[in-house]
Amino acid sequence: MTTNGGFEPVIRRTPVFCGIVPPHILDHLAQHEDQALSDSALRTLQHDSAARTRRRITAVRTLTAVAAPAAPDAVPHRTIYDAEHGTALPGTEVRAEGSEPGQDATVNRAYAGLGATFELYLKAYERNSIDGNGLPLNASVHYDVNYDNAFWNGDQMVFGDGDGEIFTDFTSSVDVIGHELTHGVTQYTANLEYYGQSGALNESVSDVFGSLIKQYSLGQSAEQADWLIGEGLLAPGVHGVALRSMKAPGTAYDDPRLGKDPQPATMQHYVRTSRDNGGVHINSGIPNHAFYLLATALGGNAWDRAGQIWYDVLTGGELQSDADFADFAKLTVAAAKARYQTGEESEAALKAWAQVGVQAS
Ligand SMILES: [Zn+2]
């Protein structure tokens, strides 16, 4: 919904570090009596906390133009690098755009996941890459040793191999790749502050589009989708199915080593905490569930109407970087009315937010 000819400057900041595995899970693992397990978690936590500090210090403000709709034949520009178990980025180039798959399945999955993300944004929302302007998509795999996370560092994707006992290879879930790259989209658009409710919205938007990227690539309807984030990421033997569930927040895992999924589905169970930037990976369950309720109420493909409404809010220019859940909810109802004239979509959005205890009117 660009109303200014595409040239209104938008303030953009480099985001704080946001890995797919939240600190509450790593904290739990770090306390485990199994030395190897707690060492991997501690190492990941220390790395992530250093990266977080570094990002705050180097935060910059840049001016960027609102993106024009992409040409339908736009193509991605992907490059995959191998960090070879070190932490220097990006590492050695191992696959460039258009080249054939190689022997390393991790490299091929990263390449395919970047492609699936590019595809959804282009085909469903006419967006040309993360910045709307054809940004090259770079990713490094085999980062560090036993590294239990994947993250977008403001410029590129980074994937660990996991410790093998709790987490498998972080390229194994396409929605995780989509989640992290969507942090880039948010960075270039609404730039939601990574703290409290605006931070939980930032996380939720990444889960929403991460799941939509998976659903689009598998051709699944809202009804058929699993609505899980990180399905396939937990190693065999872990009691759980994924990192998060949008369908049933709080039920993704319950494991002696990981703890129990702490996500609430409604405002009634909103978690007040200073950890995890004010619970950004915890309270994101509430807007996640609202999106799930809207998408399943509307039926069909979730990226069509429900996804379009969320995308319009994220990129429309009215969403403030410090928005809370109610601000976001009201904008979804307004966006639904603006794009669809029947009233069905805005009514369904109102109802979905009411079901999670957020006032959208
Ligand atoms: Zn995230």
Side-chain angles (χ1 to χ4, degrees):
M1 290 192 294
T2 306
T3 52
N4 50 34
F7 296 106
E8 183 172 308
V10 172
I11 303 295
R12 153 172 105 75
R13 284 188 303 269
T14 307
V16 292
F17 172 89
C18 21
I20 191 75
V21 177
H24 60 79
I25 289 186
L26 294 168
D27 279 345
H28 223 278
L29 280 176
Q31 285 160 22
H32 199 266
E33 59 193 25
D34 179 333
Q35 192 75 34
L37 209 57
S38 63
D39 280 354
S40 302
L42 262 179
R43 201 177 147 80
T44 304
L45 268 172
Q46 278 158 0
H47 166 278
D48 294 1
S49 139
R52 215 171 272 127
T53 309
R54 213 157 43 234
R55 297 226 71 77
R56 286 219 181 95
I57 292 167
T58 58
V60 290
R61 289 158 78 94
T62 324
L63 293 177
T64 181
V66 172
D73 58 352
V75 289
H77 300 285
R78 291 165 286 183
T79 311
I80 312 296
Y81 300 85
D82 189 342
E84 293 162 335
H85 304 291
T87 55
L89 292 174
T92 309
E93 183 178 321
V94 284
R95 190 167 175 197
E97 186 62 45
S99 65
E100 293 299 312
Q103 294 295 314
D104 188 338
T106 301
V107 171
N108 298 334
R109 278 194 300 268
Y111 184 87
L114 297 181
T117 302
F118 182 89
E119 185 85 357
L120 174 87
Y121 279 110
L122 178 69
K123 296 290 162 60
Y125 311 119
E126 296 182 312
R127 184 177 189 83
N128 185 2
S129 193
I130 297 313
D131 63 346
N133 199 23
L135 184 78
L137 298 175
N138 299 327
S140 298
V141 299
H142 303 308
Y143 180 76
D144 207 351
V145 178
N146 291 341
Y147 181 67
D148 278 334
N149 225 334
F151 61 94
W152 162 257
N153 77 352
D155 298 311
Q156 68 157 99
M157 279 295 315
V158 181
F159 299 96
D161 290 331
D163 56 61
E165 203 175 322
I166 299 288
F167 292 107
T168 62
D169 186 320
F170 278 81
T171 59
S172 55
S173 290
V174 71
D175 47 275
V176 165
I177 301 177
H179 172 108
E180 291 302 332
L181 288 171
T182 299
H183 279 307
V185 176
T186 300
Q187 171 193 333
Y188 279 98
T189 55
N191 195 29
L192 289 158
E193 282 171 21
Y194 206 66
Y195 191 84
Q197 289 200 9
S198 58
L201 286 167
N202 190 321
E203 269 305 310
S204 176
V205 161
S206 274
D207 278 354
V208 163
F209 288 99
S211 182
L212 292 179
I213 286 155
K214 176 173 172 181
Q215 293 174 33
Y216 185 87
S217 67
L218 295 175
Q220 289 178 333
S221 67
E223 189 67 25
Q224 294 163 331
D226 63 15
W227 295 100
L228 295 171
I229 302 300
E231 195 272 330
L233 206 55
L234 300 179
V238 176
H239 294 270
V241 289
L243 288 176
R244 290 184 283 281
S245 169
M246 300 176 69
K247 182 177 186 170
T251 68
Y253 57 88
D254 188 355
D255 182 271
R257 294 161 298 180
L258 285 182
K260 186 183 179 307
D261 178 0
Q263 282 212 312
T266 69
M267 287 304 283
Q268 201 191 343
H269 301 289
Y270 185 89
V271 177
R272 288 175 205 289
T273 172
S274 58
R275 288 286 299 156
D276 185 27
N277 288 68
V280 296
H281 291 91
I282 298 174
N283 293 313
S284 54
I286 297 166
N288 274 1
H289 196 52
F291 182 83
Y292 161 81
L293 290 169
L294 172 64
T296 48
L298 293 176
N301 295 323
W303 61 84
D304 283 338
R305 289 184 291 170
Q308 184 72 60
I309 292 165
W310 250 240
Y311 182 78
D312 286 348
V313 172
L314 184 67
T315 60
E318 282 178 56
L319 181 63
Q320 299 298 308
S321 59
D322 62 349
D324 62 16
F325 290 176
D327 295 332
F328 189 90
K330 284 173 194 147
L331 287 173
T332 64
V333 174
K337 278 186 186 149
R339 189 170 279 274
Y340 306 104
Q341 277 72 49
T342 64
E344 184 198 352
E345 294 79 6
S346 55
E347 283 302 313
L350 261 178
K351 192 175 165 203
W353 286 110
Q355 284 175 275
V356 301
V358 175
Q359 187 75 276
S361 57

